Amino acid sequence: MIVVGGEALIDLVPVARPPGALLPRPGGGPYNTALALGRLGAEAAFCSRVSADGFGESLLAGLRAAGVNLSLVQRGPEPTTLAVPALAPDGSASYGFYVEGTADRLFTLPPAFPRSVRALALGTCSLVLEPGASAYEALLRRESRRGLLTLLDPNIRPALIADPAAYRARFLTRLLPYASVLKLSEEDAAWLGGRVGDWLAAGPSAVVLTRGAAGLTVWTREGAEHSVAARAVAVADTIGAGDTVNAALLHRLSGVRDGPVDWPDVLGYAAHAAALTCTRAGAEPPYAAELSG
């Protein structure tokens, strides 16, 4: 089983009609990753604290419909986090957040995972907002030491980071040493200000960079580099595309037991899945059948 830890929130997505209207859609990088894993046919579980309000119920209903295990979900009376994406002409999104006193940031460290768990993914707001951020950090360390495949997606949201220097230092010294795979976007890489060699030296065995229309590239600790092109599609928006990449990477990598990773195949699968997500408004990752052709 693959566990995804982190926030579940509601994206208030702008719509054309009526002017100025916002459409509530389920979201949050970890939530989207778990949803995508379920739709891709992986055995997945979500590990978070989710509000008992109406939004929280709808978020869990979406995961349940995708076959995601909810036994690791904590519940609370606090409200659901809200995110308001602003879409650029090319479909890319920036975000504003309403996070004060919300349920997901009050996550606490769960008991040891079942032995059936083979991978853990963490990222986005859950790495920033305390006190939950410290609990997720402790979870990453504990499960990494147990030998799990761990994927870290910083998915930087500058509006949430009060002290960028402190976050960068924490990322390099307290998170990366416990990550098997670092996946980040070009925007994340520019904000973090590091280099691939520095990140690999800190701990991960591979760094995967998403480059938008230019595709995906991976660098490995052994010195290999592989790239695949993005698939040409009509882009509705890019919301959830990076999260779908996370799911595709986890789905393929968690099945590798021995021997080298076929990175061109893994990246190609991820590029295909992300492209399908981009053709739909909001975070709507594809189902396994859509990638079988």
Side-chain angles (χ1 to χ4, degrees):
M1 183 163 63
I2 301 168
V3 175
V4 184
E7 76 278 356
L9 53 77
I10 293 294
D11 283 327
L12 298 177
V13 181
V15 294
R17 298 179 185 279
L22 299 172
L23 176 66
R25 300 291 296 269
Y31 177 91
N32 295 337
T33 298
L35 181 72
L37 277 166
R39 290 186 177 185
L40 292 175
E43 185 182 359
F46 190 54
C47 183
S48 182
R49 182 178 173 90
V50 176
S51 175
D53 65 13
F55 282 144
E57 292 298 331
S58 68
L59 286 163
L60 293 187
L63 292 177
R64 196 176 292 113
V68 176
N69 184 313
L70 301 179
S71 63
L72 298 175
V73 173
Q74 305 165 17
R75 303 301 301 275
E78 307 84 13
T80 298
T81 294
L82 302 178
V84 183
L87 300 179
D90 64 356
S92 62
S94 58
Y95 294 83
F97 293 91
Y98 297 85
V99 298
E100 291 304 318
T102 54
D104 50 61
R105 68 185 302 173
L106 299 180
F107 172 81
T108 57
L109 181 66
F113 286 161
R115 295 183 64 85
S116 59
V117 175
R118 62 184 189 273
L120 169 68
L122 295 173
T124 318
C125 305
S126 59
L127 301 179
V128 178
L129 298 174
E130 296 288 5
S134 291
Y136 283 115
E137 180 183 326
L139 178 62
L140 174 65
R141 293 186 178 202
R142 186 186 76 190
E143 298 304 323
S144 173
R145 288 168 175 153
R146 196 160 68 92
L148 265 64
L149 167 71
T150 53
L151 183 144
L152 186 66
D153 175 17
N155 203 9
I156 300 297
R157 301 296 185 232
L160 293 177
I161 301 174
D163 187 340
Y167 179 89
R168 292 181 181 110
R170 177 171 173 264
F171 169 77
L172 189 63
T173 62
R174 292 166 52 187
L175 297 176
L176 270 190
Y178 301 94
S180 308
V181 177
L182 170 64
K183 176 256 159 181
L184 71 172
S185 68
E186 288 183 310
E187 293 79 11
D188 294 334
W191 190 93
L192 288 165
R195 297 180 300 175
V196 171
D198 297 331
W199 298 325
L200 288 170
S205 60
V207 173
V208 176
L209 184 72
T210 61
R211 300 181 294 125
L216 297 160
T217 298
V218 64
W219 294 266
T220 72
R221 190 184 298 158
E222 293 74 26
E225 178 181 341
H226 303 281
S227 295
V228 300
R231 294 208 173 196
V233 295
V235 175
D237 63 49
T238 63
I239 298 174
D243 309 322
T244 302
V245 169
N246 292 342
L249 293 174
L250 287 162
H251 192 25
R252 286 294 170 95
L253 293 175
S254 63
V256 175
R257 301 301 181 188
D258 297 297
V261 175
D262 184 351
W263 278 110
D265 174 73
V266 172
L267 295 183
Y269 179 71
H272 188 186
L276 291 174
T277 302
C278 290
T279 64
R280 303 184 264 238
E284 287 292 342
Y287 292 86
E290 298 178 82
L291 283 82
S292 61

